[in-house]
Amino acid sequence: MTAPTTPPNTEAGEPADEQELKALYQQFDAANMIPLWTQIDDLMPHQPTPRAVPYLWRWSELYPLAKRSGDLVPVGRGGERRAIALANPGLGGMPFATPTLWAAIQYLGPHEVAPEHRHTQNAFRFVLEGEGVWTVVNGDPVAMRRGDFLLTPGWNFHGHQNVTNAPMAWLDGLDIPLAYQNDTGFFEFGPDDLTDTSTPERSRAERLWAHPGLQPVALLGRRPSSPLAAYRWEHTDRALTEQLALEDEGYPGTVEAGHAAVRFTNPTTGGDVLPTIRADFHRLRAGTATAARHEVGSSVWQVFTGRGTAVIGGVEHSVEHGDVFVVPSWARFELRAEKQLDLFRFSDAPVFESLNQFRQATGTEAGA
């Protein structure tokens, strides 16, 4: 935001009204006041002018750095997590991917344990590859495997353990910047040891809630966050496969030709899994190009498999397995698949929908 516009220095013989105007601006400065007429272009632009910029982090660079941190940085009380935030270069050195979203690569070495804690910030994990880690959420051990999407809603105690001889890394997503900017964050340490070190195939949350269209009568009622701790890859993959199969058979179900997508939802409301974060998974057939679109709010994407191009703000970025990229608010965006392209996406859309500020434009509406 620009500083208030102060009239130039007056000279002898300057009209009295200009001298008075200069004095008025000096009084504004002294009283920590800024007149709207000097700020309106910044405060009320004709369309969003985000500080965050489109940016791409290569998995081929991210993973070796995470692995090196595993060799040098211990996990334990104090640092709590070996998580490396992806810092958008447009946000002045803050460890934020966008003004509302935090994204990081977390790395847990063989037989390491990340102790339990809780915070008001909502969190999830998306597993690009590997298995052998269990995240314990409020005492419920949840297996983490390739392609799984796992939730840690705000103020739930959680810790992690790796029970194998191999390291594992995954994508963390949180609404840390939103809580930071609005001074709403709380944090609390949990026990040093995990409350449950068992390694069940299915968590208790899945045994209760992972049955399509069915809710346990004993636990009925709307919840602000999904009670389902894990959304498994086999279900995501099957849903996307069936959408494209139905398209081949001439039935509706895809977002656009060659573009299948699913949204992870809260089974108690049908809405988003977290109050501040939306999560989707997209699959593009080889050769598919999506329509251009603009959306209010920002999003972070990770390529699960395949290869293609993300066009953000008119700039083309080649993308492949593991790459992470940011689409700032109202940036023109489209995808092109060179080979079948699977992508995980999370965004801040629920925040702006709840404020009645969400807007989008697609195809010809999105312009050039």
Side-chain angles (χ1 to χ4, degrees), residues 243-314:
Q243 286 186 21
L244 292 173
L246 285 167
E247 181 182 74
D248 288 338
E249 296 164 21
Y251 297 103
T254 53
V255 176
E256 54 197 332
H259 178 189
V262 293
R263 178 163 300 162
F264 300 100
T265 60
N266 178 343
T268 74
T269 65
D272 290 297
V273 288
L274 296 168
T276 55
I277 294 175
R278 174 167 295 166
D280 306 313
F281 204 101
H282 297 254
R283 173 171 292 170
L284 276 65
R285 297 182 194 268
T288 295
T290 67
R293 55 178 38 87
H294 296 276
E295 292 182 346
V296 163
S298 51
S299 59
V300 179
W301 299 68
Q302 184 170 40
V303 179
F304 186 58
T305 59
R307 185 170 59 249
T309 302
V311 186
I312 314 170

Side-chain angles (χ1 to χ4, degrees), residues 2-161:
T2 59
T5 302
T6 304
N9 293 332
T10 57
E11 298 179 358
E14 187 176 49
D17 58 348
E18 292 189 15
Q19 294 180 22
E20 292 176 3
L21 184 60
K22 178 186 177 184
L24 175 63
Y25 277 85
Q26 290 172 339
Q27 290 172 330
F28 284 155
D29 289 344
N32 290 309
M33 298 172 68
I34 300 174
L36 175 62
W37 58 85
T38 68
Q39 301 290 301
I40 192 152
D41 287 342
D42 288 328
L43 296 176
M44 298 180 180
H46 292 286
Q47 64 182 43
T49 55
R51 292 176 295 121
V53 298
Y55 199 77
L56 170 70
W57 292 268
R58 299 276 180 203
W59 186 248
S60 59
E61 298 174 355
L62 292 176
Y63 185 78
L65 288 170
K67 184 176 185 301
R68 183 58 175 156
S69 73
D71 297 334
L72 300 174
V73 180
V75 171
R77 283 295 179 223
E80 292 295 295
R81 301 289 187 262
R82 192 186 292 109
I84 306 110
L86 308 183
N88 190 298
L91 298 179
M94 297 299 290
F96 304 153
T98 83
T100 53
L101 300 173
W102 194 81
I105 304 304
Q106 185 168 166
Y107 185 93
L108 200 63
H111 301 287
E112 283 189 326
V113 174
E116 293 191 12
H117 64 213
R118 65 178 176 176
H119 40 71
T120 47
Q121 295 86 349
N122 295 291
F124 71 80
R125 292 156 234 307
F126 177 70
V127 184
L128 181 68
E129 54 193 36
E131 59 180 77
V133 169
W134 269 257
T135 182
V136 182
V137 182
N138 277 350
D140 187 9
V142 186
M144 297 174 59
R145 307 183 187 96
R146 177 183 179 274
D148 291 347
F149 172 62
L150 308 107
L151 297 182
T152 308
W155 214 236
N156 284 248
F157 279 113
H158 55 284
H160 319 303
Q161 65 166 336

